[in-house]
Amino acid sequence: MRSSDTARKIRLFIFIAIFGFTVMRGCQHQNQQPTPRPQRTPAPRRTSVPRRTPVGGQGTPMRLLPQNADNSNVLLGFPGAAGRNADSFLVERPQFTMSYNQSDGGPNWVSWHTSTATLGPVARGDFHPDPLLPPESQIRPSDYRGSGYDRGHVCPSGDRTATTEDNDATFAMSNMLPQTAALNQHVWKELEDYCRDLANQGNELYIAAGGVGSAKRIGKGKVNVPTDCWKVIVVLPEGDGDLSRIDAKTRVIGVLMPNQQNKQVEKADWPQYATSVLQIEKATGFDFFSNVPATVRRQLEARVDKG
Protein backbone atom coordinates (compact mmCIF):
# COMPACT_ATOMS: atom_id res chain seq x y z
CA MET A 1 0.00 0.00 0.00
CA ARG A 2 1.19 3.47 -0.78
CA SER A 3 2.14 5.76 2.05
CA SER A 4 -0.34 8.43 0.93
CA ASP A 5 -3.23 5.98 1.22
CA THR A 6 -2.07 4.95 4.65
CA ALA A 7 -1.94 8.55 5.88
CA ARG A 8 -5.41 9.23 4.44
CA LYS A 9 -6.85 6.23 6.32
CA ILE A 10 -5.23 7.34 9.54
CA ARG A 11 -6.71 10.84 9.22
CA LEU A 12 -10.16 9.36 8.46
CA PHE A 13 -9.96 7.10 11.52
CA ILE A 14 -8.99 10.03 13.75
CA PHE A 15 -11.89 12.13 12.34
CA ILE A 16 -14.41 9.32 12.93
CA ALA A 17 -13.12 8.79 16.47
CA ILE A 18 -13.34 12.49 17.35
CA PHE A 19 -16.80 12.80 15.75
CA GLY A 20 -18.09 9.75 17.63
CA PHE A 21 -16.72 11.02 20.94
CA THR A 22 -18.38 14.41 20.42
CA VAL A 23 -21.77 12.84 19.59
CA MET A 24 -21.59 10.57 22.64
CA ARG A 25 -20.90 13.51 25.02
CA GLY A 26 -23.77 15.48 23.56
CA CYS A 27 -26.19 12.61 24.17
CA GLN A 28 -25.00 12.21 27.73
CA HIS A 29 -25.56 15.93 28.41
CA GLN A 30 -29.13 15.77 27.07
CA ASN A 31 -29.97 12.76 29.25
CA GLN A 32 -28.70 14.34 32.43
CA GLN A 33 -31.46 16.06 34.53
CA PRO A 34 -30.37 19.09 36.47
CA THR A 35 -30.52 18.64 40.20
CA PRO A 36 -33.38 20.83 41.44
CA ARG A 37 -32.40 23.59 43.78
CA PRO A 38 -33.94 23.14 47.20
CA GLN A 39 -36.98 25.30 47.70
CA ARG A 40 -36.61 27.71 50.55
CA THR A 41 -39.54 27.47 52.88
CA PRO A 42 -40.63 30.99 53.73
CA ALA A 43 -40.64 31.82 57.41
CA PRO A 44 -44.16 32.08 58.81
CA ARG A 45 -45.47 35.60 58.92
CA ARG A 46 -45.25 37.03 62.39
CA THR A 47 -48.54 38.04 63.85
CA SER A 48 -49.08 40.14 66.90
CA VAL A 49 -49.86 38.16 70.01
CA PRO A 50 -53.20 39.18 71.48
CA ARG A 51 -52.73 41.23 74.61
CA ARG A 52 -55.43 39.31 76.41
CA THR A 53 -54.64 35.61 76.30
CA PRO A 54 -56.95 33.53 78.50
CA VAL A 55 -55.21 31.41 81.09
CA GLY A 56 -57.58 28.54 80.34
CA GLY A 57 -60.16 27.40 77.83
CA GLN A 58 -62.92 29.76 76.80
CA GLY A 59 -66.61 29.09 77.04
CA THR A 60 -69.39 29.96 74.63
CA PRO A 61 -70.25 33.65 74.30
CA MET A 62 -73.59 34.55 75.85
CA ARG A 63 -76.61 35.13 73.66
CA LEU A 64 -79.50 37.47 74.26
CA LEU A 65 -82.41 35.61 75.82
CA PRO A 66 -86.11 36.48 75.68
CA GLN A 67 -87.13 38.51 78.70
CA ASN A 68 -89.26 35.67 80.10
CA ALA A 69 -86.59 32.98 79.66
CA ASP A 70 -84.69 31.37 82.52
CA ASN A 71 -81.43 33.24 83.10
CA SER A 72 -82.69 36.31 81.24
CA ASN A 73 -81.13 39.44 82.66
CA VAL A 74 -84.57 40.92 83.33
CA LEU A 75 -86.55 37.79 84.20
CA LEU A 76 -87.79 39.38 87.44
CA GLY A 77 -88.94 42.53 85.65
CA PHE A 78 -87.59 45.93 84.64
CA PRO A 79 -86.75 47.99 87.75
CA GLY A 80 -87.72 51.20 85.96
CA ALA A 81 -88.46 52.83 82.63
CA ALA A 82 -86.44 51.78 79.60
CA GLY A 83 -87.26 52.62 76.00
CA ARG A 84 -86.23 55.21 73.41
CA ASN A 85 -86.17 58.26 75.68
CA ALA A 86 -82.66 59.73 75.96
CA ASP A 87 -82.78 59.61 79.76
CA SER A 88 -84.20 56.08 79.97
CA PHE A 89 -82.65 54.53 76.88
CA LEU A 90 -82.93 50.73 76.72
CA VAL A 91 -79.65 48.93 76.01
CA GLU A 92 -79.92 45.14 75.74
CA ARG A 93 -76.92 42.87 75.53
CA PRO A 94 -76.50 39.17 76.24
CA GLN A 95 -74.32 40.21 79.19
CA PHE A 96 -76.67 42.75 80.82
CA THR A 97 -79.68 44.99 80.27
CA MET A 98 -79.72 48.63 81.28
CA SER A 99 -81.65 51.86 81.30
CA TYR A 100 -79.18 54.56 80.26
CA ASN A 101 -79.47 58.23 81.20
CA GLN A 102 -77.87 60.64 78.74
CA SER A 103 -78.26 63.62 81.08
CA ASP A 104 -76.35 61.79 83.83
CA GLY A 105 -73.82 60.10 81.54
CA GLY A 106 -74.46 56.72 83.15
CA PRO A 107 -77.05 54.04 83.83
CA ASN A 108 -80.25 54.49 85.80
CA TRP A 109 -80.01 50.75 86.49
CA VAL A 110 -78.27 47.65 85.18
CA SER A 111 -79.73 44.16 85.52
CA TRP A 112 -77.98 40.81 84.97
CA HIS A 113 -77.89 37.10 85.81
CA THR A 114 -74.82 35.36 87.26
CA SER A 115 -73.96 31.68 87.67
CA THR A 116 -70.94 29.42 87.25
CA ALA A 117 -71.67 29.43 83.50
CA THR A 118 -70.73 33.12 83.32
CA LEU A 119 -67.49 32.70 85.28
CA GLY A 120 -64.14 31.70 83.80
CA PRO A 121 -60.47 32.58 83.32
CA VAL A 122 -60.31 35.46 80.82
CA ALA A 123 -58.36 38.63 81.51
CA ARG A 124 -59.81 42.11 81.95
CA GLY A 125 -60.72 44.23 78.95
CA ASP A 126 -60.30 47.91 78.12
CA PHE A 127 -62.67 50.78 78.76
CA HIS A 128 -64.43 52.03 75.63
CA PRO A 129 -67.44 54.11 74.53
CA ASP A 130 -70.63 52.11 74.14
CA PRO A 131 -71.26 51.53 70.41
CA LEU A 132 -74.92 50.75 71.10
CA LEU A 133 -75.57 54.32 72.19
CA PRO A 134 -76.14 57.31 69.90
CA PRO A 135 -72.94 59.37 69.49
CA GLU A 136 -74.35 62.26 71.52
CA SER A 137 -74.96 59.91 74.48
CA GLN A 138 -71.53 58.31 74.60
CA ILE A 139 -69.12 58.81 77.48
CA ARG A 140 -65.41 58.24 76.88
CA PRO A 141 -62.84 56.86 79.32
CA SER A 142 -61.08 60.24 79.26
CA ASP A 143 -64.18 61.91 80.73
CA TYR A 144 -63.17 60.47 84.12
CA ARG A 145 -59.53 61.57 83.83
CA GLY A 146 -58.36 63.76 86.70
CA SER A 147 -61.75 63.59 88.43
CA GLY A 148 -60.59 61.67 91.48
CA TYR A 149 -63.24 59.00 90.85
CA ASP A 150 -62.88 55.41 89.67
CA ARG A 151 -64.70 54.14 86.61
CA GLY A 152 -66.81 51.83 88.73
CA HIS A 153 -68.42 48.83 87.03
CA VAL A 154 -72.11 48.31 87.71
CA CYS A 155 -72.27 44.84 86.14
CA PRO A 156 -68.85 43.62 87.35
CA SER A 157 -66.10 42.52 85.01
CA GLY A 158 -65.64 39.52 87.33
CA ASP A 159 -69.20 38.30 86.66
CA ARG A 160 -68.46 37.95 82.94
CA THR A 161 -65.18 36.06 82.63
CA ALA A 162 -66.26 32.98 80.63
CA THR A 163 -65.32 34.58 77.29
CA THR A 164 -63.41 37.62 76.09
CA GLU A 165 -66.50 38.88 74.29
CA ASP A 166 -68.57 38.79 77.48
CA ASN A 167 -65.89 40.49 79.54
CA ASP A 168 -65.35 43.22 76.95
CA ALA A 169 -69.04 44.14 77.14
CA THR A 170 -68.71 45.09 80.81
CA PHE A 171 -66.05 47.70 79.91
CA ALA A 172 -68.50 49.80 77.90
CA MET A 173 -68.54 53.22 79.57
CA SER A 174 -72.34 53.07 79.79
CA ASN A 175 -71.81 50.40 82.49
CA MET A 176 -69.77 52.79 84.68
CA LEU A 177 -70.60 55.06 87.59
CA PRO A 178 -68.10 57.46 89.18
CA GLN A 179 -67.19 55.79 92.47
CA THR A 180 -64.70 56.74 95.15
CA ALA A 181 -61.75 54.43 95.61
CA ALA A 182 -62.93 53.75 99.16
CA LEU A 183 -66.19 52.35 97.79
CA ASN A 184 -65.17 50.79 94.48
CA GLN A 185 -61.97 49.09 95.61
CA HIS A 186 -63.16 47.90 99.01
CA VAL A 187 -66.71 47.35 100.29
CA TRP A 188 -68.37 47.39 96.82
CA LYS A 189 -65.79 44.89 95.56
CA GLU A 190 -66.26 42.80 98.70
CA LEU A 191 -69.95 42.35 97.86
CA GLU A 192 -69.13 41.51 94.24
CA ASP A 193 -66.73 38.81 95.43
CA TYR A 194 -69.34 37.50 97.87
CA CYS A 195 -71.86 37.14 95.03
CA ARG A 196 -69.40 35.10 92.98
CA ASP A 197 -68.71 32.94 96.02
CA LEU A 198 -72.44 32.24 96.21
CA ALA A 199 -72.46 31.28 92.53
CA ASN A 200 -69.52 28.92 93.01
CA GLN A 201 -71.41 27.30 95.89
CA GLY A 202 -74.16 26.17 93.49
CA ASN A 203 -76.40 29.23 93.29
CA GLU A 204 -77.56 31.51 90.52
CA LEU A 205 -78.17 35.19 91.13
CA TYR A 206 -80.41 37.86 89.63
CA ILE A 207 -78.86 41.25 90.32
CA ALA A 208 -79.77 44.89 89.68
CA ALA A 209 -77.61 47.85 90.64
CA GLY A 210 -77.11 51.57 90.09
CA GLY A 211 -76.62 54.92 91.77
CA VAL A 212 -78.84 57.57 93.31
CA GLY A 213 -78.45 61.24 94.16
CA SER A 214 -76.01 63.84 92.88
CA ALA A 215 -72.82 64.85 94.68
CA LYS A 216 -71.21 66.73 91.77
CA ARG A 217 -70.52 66.42 88.05
CA ILE A 218 -67.35 65.47 86.21
CA GLY A 219 -66.25 65.22 82.57
CA LYS A 220 -67.03 68.88 81.87
CA GLY A 221 -70.46 68.37 83.39
CA LYS A 222 -71.39 65.31 81.32
CA VAL A 223 -71.26 62.73 84.13
CA ASN A 224 -73.23 62.78 87.38
CA VAL A 225 -71.54 61.49 90.55
CA PRO A 226 -74.10 59.61 92.70
CA THR A 227 -74.23 60.18 96.45
CA ASP A 228 -74.97 56.48 97.03
CA CYS A 229 -74.78 53.20 95.14
CA TRP A 230 -77.34 50.44 95.56
CA LYS A 231 -77.61 46.76 94.70
CA VAL A 232 -80.44 44.20 94.89
CA ILE A 233 -79.58 40.49 94.71
CA VAL A 234 -81.90 37.47 94.49
CA VAL A 235 -80.20 34.15 95.29
CA LEU A 236 -81.58 30.80 94.07
CA PRO A 237 -80.12 27.29 94.05
CA GLU A 238 -79.23 26.41 90.47
CA GLY A 239 -82.18 24.92 88.63
CA ASP A 240 -84.90 25.50 86.05
CA GLY A 241 -88.12 27.47 86.12
CA ASP A 242 -86.50 30.22 88.15
CA LEU A 243 -89.47 32.59 88.33
CA SER A 244 -91.75 29.85 89.63
CA ARG A 245 -89.18 28.86 92.28
CA ILE A 246 -89.14 32.26 93.96
CA ASP A 247 -91.17 32.25 97.17
CA ALA A 248 -91.30 34.07 100.50
CA LYS A 249 -88.21 32.17 101.71
CA THR A 250 -86.01 33.13 98.76
CA ARG A 251 -82.90 34.98 99.84
CA VAL A 252 -82.78 38.66 98.88
CA ILE A 253 -79.88 41.01 99.66
CA GLY A 254 -80.22 44.78 99.41
CA VAL A 255 -77.51 47.37 100.06
CA LEU A 256 -77.31 51.16 99.89
CA MET A 257 -73.68 52.31 100.18
CA PRO A 258 -72.39 55.90 100.50
CA ASN A 259 -70.18 57.00 97.63
CA GLN A 260 -67.71 58.77 99.91
CA GLN A 261 -63.94 58.83 100.24
CA ASN A 262 -63.25 58.10 103.90
CA LYS A 263 -61.91 55.39 106.17
CA GLN A 264 -65.37 54.47 107.42
CA VAL A 265 -66.43 53.39 103.93
CA GLU A 266 -63.05 51.86 103.13
CA LYS A 267 -63.01 49.68 106.25
CA ALA A 268 -66.69 48.72 106.20
CA ASP A 269 -68.07 45.24 105.56
CA TRP A 270 -71.00 45.05 103.19
CA PRO A 271 -73.56 43.92 105.84
CA GLN A 272 -73.12 47.33 107.50
CA TYR A 273 -74.97 48.83 104.53
CA ALA A 274 -77.63 46.13 104.25
CA THR A 275 -81.15 47.46 103.93
CA SER A 276 -84.54 46.36 102.64
CA VAL A 277 -85.48 46.44 98.98
CA LEU A 278 -88.39 48.63 100.04
CA GLN A 279 -85.96 51.31 101.26
CA ILE A 280 -84.05 51.13 97.98
CA GLU A 281 -87.32 51.54 96.09
CA LYS A 282 -88.13 54.64 98.14
CA ALA A 283 -84.68 56.11 97.45
CA THR A 284 -84.67 55.39 93.72
CA GLY A 285 -88.32 55.39 92.69
CA PHE A 286 -87.85 51.96 91.10
CA ASP A 287 -90.06 48.90 91.45
CA PHE A 288 -88.21 45.60 91.76
CA PHE A 289 -89.59 42.08 91.19
CA SER A 290 -92.57 43.26 89.13
CA ASN A 291 -92.86 39.78 87.55
CA VAL A 292 -93.08 38.08 90.99
CA PRO A 293 -96.58 37.57 92.48
CA ALA A 294 -97.54 40.53 94.66
CA THR A 295 -97.91 38.55 97.91
CA VAL A 296 -94.41 37.11 97.55
CA ARG A 297 -92.96 40.41 96.33
CA ARG A 298 -94.09 42.30 99.42
CA GLN A 299 -92.40 39.80 101.71
CA LEU A 300 -89.16 39.87 99.74
CA GLU A 301 -89.08 43.67 99.71
CA ALA A 302 -89.50 43.98 103.47
CA ARG A 303 -86.60 41.79 104.67
CA VAL A 304 -83.07 42.88 105.55
CA ASP A 305 -80.34 40.28 104.93
CA LYS A 306 -76.99 40.88 106.62
CA GLY A 307 -75.25 37.74 105.46
Side-chain angles (χ1 to χ4, degrees):
M1 180 181 295
R2 292 181 300 180
S3 60
S4 59
D5 292 337
T6 302
R8 193 165 43 250
K9 290 180 179 179
I10 293 172
R11 288 197 297 269
L12 180 61
F13 175 81
I14 293 172
F15 174 78
I16 293 172
I18 293 172
F19 179 79
F21 178 78
T22 303
V23 171
M24 182 182 66
R25 287 293 302 273
C27 291
Q28 288 179 345
H29 180 73
Q30 289 180 357
N31 290 333
Q32 287 178 348
Q33 296 296 326
T35 303
R37 296 182 64 183
Q39 296 294 318
R40 184 176 180 183
T41 302
R45 179 178 296 178
R46 295 186 64 183
T47 57
S48 58
V49 178
R51 185 187 61 79
R52 298 176 56 214
T53 302
V55 298
Q58 294 190 31
T60 302
M62 301 179 70
R63 59 188 178 87
L64 187 62
L65 299 173
Q67 293 174 10
N68 62 349
D70 267 10
N71 306 337
S72 164
N73 294 318
V74 286
L75 177 63
L76 308 189
F78 279 38
R84 305 308 297 176
N85 186 289
D87 290 344
S88 56
F89 191 82
L90 176 63
V91 179
E92 292 184 288
R93 284 184 163 87
Q95 298 81 15
F96 55 81
T97 298
M98 74 163 59
S99 170
Y100 183 80
N101 191 312
Q102 178 177 316
S103 296
D104 287 346
N108 296 311
W109 53 262
V110 182
S111 185
W112 69 99
H113 173 267
T114 295
S115 69
T116 53
T118 70
L119 307 180
V122 303
R124 287 169 59 88
D126 292 318
F127 296 99
H128 58 270
D130 190 338
L132 298 187
L133 291 177
E136 64 273 15
S137 297
Q138 292 181 355
I139 298 299
R140 301 185 179 280
S142 58
D143 290 322
Y144 280 60
R145 186 175 299 148
S147 69
Y149 289 91
D150 290 355
R151 292 167 290 198
H153 283 74
V154 183
C155 176
S157 163
D159 282 13
R160 294 289 182 261
T161 51
T163 71
T164 298
E165 177 182 327
D166 293 339
N167 191 259
D168 279 344
T170 70
F171 281 85
M173 289 301 297
S174 60
N175 184 44
M176 304 299 149
L177 287 174
Q179 291 182 324
T180 65
L183 176 65
N184 181 51
Q185 299 176 28
H186 297 280
V187 65
W188 188 259
K189 179 181 181 297
E190 178 192 347
L191 182 55
E192 291 176 340
D193 291 341
Y194 179 72
C195 288
R196 287 189 286 273
D197 288 343
L198 290 174
N200 284 318
Q201 292 166 12
N203 297 291
E204 53 185 306
L205 294 79
Y206 289 90
I207 308 174
V212 63
S214 182
K216 60 183 296 186
R217 300 186 75 88
I218 63 172
K220 298 180 179 180
K222 291 191 292 184
V223 183
N224 177 62
V225 178
T227 58
D228 300 271
C229 292
W230 57 267
K231 185 170 287 189
V232 173
I233 305 153
V234 174
V235 185
L236 289 170
E238 283 194 349
D240 298 323
D242 294 346
L243 197 58
S244 65
R245 295 190 295 128
I246 296 175
D247 58 29
K249 297 180 180 179
T250 297
R251 187 177 184 191
V252 174
I253 301 170
V255 296
L256 189 61
M257 299 182 177
N259 190 24
Q260 299 173 3
Q261 183 62 34
N262 57 51
K263 289 295 182 182
Q264 183 178 353
V265 173
E266 183 177 321
K267 300 297 183 182
D269 295 320
W270 73 259
Q272 294 176 234
Y273 298 118
T275 188
S276 67
V277 173
L278 185 59
Q279 289 301 314
I280 297 174
E281 288 178 331
K282 289 179 179 179
T284 61
F286 297 147
D287 181 21
F288 300 96
F289 315 148
S290 58
N291 288 346
V292 176
T295 54
V296 174
R297 181 169 69 244
R298 285 194 291 269
Q299 295 179 72
L300 298 181
E301 291 171 336
R303 292 206 307 267
V304 176
D305 186 312
K306 294 192 175 184

